[in-house]
Amino acid sequence: MALVLHSWNSNRNAYKALIAAEYSGVDVKLVDNFEMGVSNKTPEFLKMNPIGKVPVLETPEGPIFESNAIARYVARKNPESPLYGSSLIDYGHVEQWIDFAALEVDTNLSAWLYPRLGFRVYLPPAEEAAIAGLKRALAALNTHLASNTFLVGHSVTLADIIMTCNLFTGFAMVITKSFSSEFPHVERYFWTMVNQPNFKKVIGDVKQADSVIPIQSAKKPAQPKEVKPKAIAPKKEVKKEEPKAEEEVTEEAPKPKAKNPLDSLPPSKMVLDDWKRLYSNTKSNFREVAIKGFWDMYDPEGYSLWFCDYKYNDENTVSFVTLNKVGGFLQRMDLARKYAFGKMLIIGSTAPFKVKGLWLFRGPEIPKFVMDECYDMELYEWTKVDISDEAQKERVSQMIEDAEPFEGEALLDAKCFK
């Protein structure tokens, strides 16, 4: 009699039991027509797992939930299974690496991935900690695999199955080639595993992510709910009173919303696009051409300059993560591209790295819509530049031209928003 696995067919946690079944010669059948959010809410399913989590294995002796427990059961179902090695110490090492895969790899991967998918609140410091934890785990795994093809012994064990399945979603969604190349033995191991016939039969072809998946905005689901009541009310009034007049109001309403308050400011002698072109096109004598041109153009009545300092520099212990953090900030500032120019410096030759920036904004203050919409803003201390202070003015010039050393320290990188 086949064991019945309740899950959708592309669940990497279900892959663990299905691959173990291929190696152990155990008959495991994936239930037909499983629909997440529906099938796992039925009374029959909740009797097998009261909290409705997937997968669940249905056996003659009763149900089993939790994917690693299911995989262990399947691996031991056949006493001749090779998935636990050939000795007691092999057994201990298999269990060791299963725990490592769950606690060090999967925990950190999930903390990185799930907020980006919208399943948890996205917090940049939490993502940084997750990536740092994952890198620490992969570095340890990389060291072990430098002299081992498999995690335990000289053939595939249950530890390899669970480790590979835990890495699978990471490689598919967030672990890009530039990230994984830091761990060449882990790379070799992962691709070796997913191309084993028993793995490939279950998983199919695997493609590595070209880029980290974008963050799913938490605001998007809330907006339609607010819009619907507003849309309904005018319709009721339209039917009862003066439909033409109200239709006209509906057509005119979006116009003021679409206009940015900064567009209503008095004209400025500084044309931002002219400055951006000068910055981009100056290839030599930068101080004499671009910096001088900036100060000639700058209009303190129409624009303001701001220094920013990251509040949590002590956490910037990983260069890759720090650079990605700044890159993400600049991407999220895209809403201000028409009204802003910025330079972000990542400073230091060793960790912790300092992040400092200079921003030019239209208007006398940081635009309110930027403060409201870009959550990164609150991660920085903002100080308005006093251009009557020659020291501050010189600091602005140095930041624009990526002067190195900057304030006595080397630059790890400099990024421009224009």
Side-chain angles (χ1 to χ4, degrees), residues 117-375:
L117 292 173
F119 299 151
R120 299 178 188 171
V121 175
Y122 178 83
L123 299 170
E127 179 175 82
E128 180 180 355
I131 294 172
L134 178 62
K135 283 198 159 194
R136 185 172 58 249
L138 294 182
L141 181 59
N142 195 66
T143 299
H144 178 74
L145 292 171
S147 55
N148 295 278
T149 302
F150 305 98
L151 291 177
V152 181
H154 302 289
S155 61
V156 172
T157 64
L158 188 60
D160 297 302
I161 294 171
I162 291 175
M163 180 70 78
T164 302
C165 289
N166 285 355
L167 287 170
F168 169 77
T169 305
F171 269 80
M173 293 188 173
V174 290
I175 298 178
T176 61
K177 177 64 179 176
S178 62
F179 186 101
S180 62
S181 62
E182 295 184 35
F183 313 101
H185 303 299
V186 175
E187 271 191 326
R188 180 265 306 160
Y189 169 79
F190 178 77
W191 294 113
T192 298
M193 290 299 104
V194 296
N195 284 292
Q196 296 293 308
N198 286 336
F199 280 77
K200 202 172 183 68
K201 182 177 180 180
V202 172
I203 298 176
D205 293 327
V206 179
K207 183 180 183 299
Q208 188 166 11
D210 294 322
S211 59
V212 177
I213 61 165
I215 300 160
Q216 304 298 310
S217 172
K219 294 183 179 180
K220 290 181 180 177
Q223 288 176 341
K225 293 180 182 177
E226 294 176 3
V227 170
K228 285 181 182 177
K230 293 179 182 178
I232 292 169
K235 287 180 181 177
K236 290 180 180 177
E237 293 176 9
V238 166
K239 292 178 182 178
K240 294 178 182 178
E241 300 178 7
E242 301 180 13
K244 291 183 180 178
E246 298 215 359
E247 285 173 8
E248 289 174 3
V249 172
T250 304
E251 292 173 1
E252 294 175 0
K255 293 181 181 177
K257 292 180 182 178
K259 188 173 182 181
N260 192 298
L262 297 182
D263 294 329
S264 300
L265 291 174
S268 170
K269 70 173 186 178
M270 183 176 195
V271 180
L272 188 59
D273 284 344
D274 287 351
W275 157 241
K276 291 180 178 180
R277 276 192 293 272
L278 178 63
Y279 175 89
S280 299
N281 294 333
T282 303
K283 306 302 181 185
S284 60
N285 299 320
F286 196 87
R287 172 70 71 143
E288 293 78 9
V289 178
I291 300 300
K292 182 180 182 302
F294 174 80
W295 290 118
D296 289 342
M297 294 179 185
Y298 181 63
D299 172 20
E301 294 181 1
Y303 285 83
S304 56
L305 285 163
W306 297 81
F307 294 128
C308 67
D309 291 270
Y310 190 65
K311 295 178 182 177
Y312 310 104
N313 284 320
D314 288 346
E315 298 177 1
N316 294 336
T317 56
V318 181
S319 60
F320 168 86
V321 176
T322 306
L323 294 171
N324 274 1
K325 179 192 302 177
V326 175
F329 173 35
L330 297 185
Q331 287 178 354
R332 290 182 284 278
M333 281 293 287
D334 191 64
L335 76 170
R337 194 169 298 278
K338 181 180 176 183
Y339 310 100
F341 171 86
K343 290 302 297 283
M344 296 297 294
L345 307 184
I346 300 90
I347 303 164
S349 54
T350 58
F353 303 100
K354 297 175 184 175
V355 177
K356 299 177 183 289
L358 168 74
W359 286 84
L360 172 72
F361 289 114
R362 181 75 166 99
E365 301 295 333
I366 299 174
K368 186 178 183 301
F369 76 92
V370 175
M371 296 298 292
D372 291 344
E373 296 294 327
C374 185
Y375 62 79

Side-chain angles (χ1 to χ4, degrees), residues 26-196:
V26 176
D27 189 8
V28 176
K29 179 179 181 294
L30 197 62
V31 71
D32 294 328
N33 303 318
F34 184 92
E35 185 178 352
M36 187 62 181
V38 178
S39 304
N40 60 315
K41 302 299 183 185
T42 63
E44 294 77 15
F45 189 93
L46 294 175
K47 285 180 182 178
M48 296 189 291
N49 185 350
I51 59 175
K53 289 180 69 176
V54 177
V56 169
L57 183 69
E58 192 176 353
T59 81
E61 298 86 7
I64 304 170
F65 55 83
E66 295 298 337
S67 62
N68 288 352
I70 294 170
R72 287 181 171 106
Y73 175 88
V74 172
R76 292 175 178 174
K77 182 72 173 171
N78 179 357
E80 302 300 320
S81 170
L83 294 181
Y84 268 99
S86 57
S87 66
L88 183 59
I89 191 63
D90 282 352
Y91 170 84
H93 285 156
V94 168
E95 290 293 333
Q96 163 192 291
W97 285 110
I98 289 175
D99 285 351
F100 183 91
L103 300 175
E104 302 296 336
V105 175
D106 194 44
T107 297
N108 287 305
L109 260 176
S110 298
W112 183 9
L113 177 62
Y114 289 169
R116 286 184 166 268
L117 292 173
F119 299 151
R120 299 178 188 171
V121 175
Y122 178 83
L123 299 170
E127 179 175 82
E128 180 180 355
I131 294 172
L134 178 62
K135 283 198 159 194
R136 185 172 58 249
L138 294 182
L141 181 59
N142 195 66
T143 299
H144 178 74
L145 292 171
S147 55
N148 295 278
T149 302
F150 305 98
L151 291 177
V152 181
H154 302 289
S155 61
V156 172
T157 64
L158 188 60
D160 297 302
I161 294 171
I162 291 175
M163 180 70 78
T164 302
C165 289
N166 285 355
L167 287 170
F168 169 77
T169 305
F171 269 80
M173 293 188 173
V174 290
I175 298 178
T176 61
K177 177 64 179 176
S178 62
F179 186 101
S180 62
S181 62
E182 295 184 35
F183 313 101
H185 303 299
V186 175
E187 271 191 326
R188 180 265 306 160
Y189 169 79
F190 178 77
W191 294 113
T192 298
M193 290 299 104
V194 296
N195 284 292
Q196 296 293 308

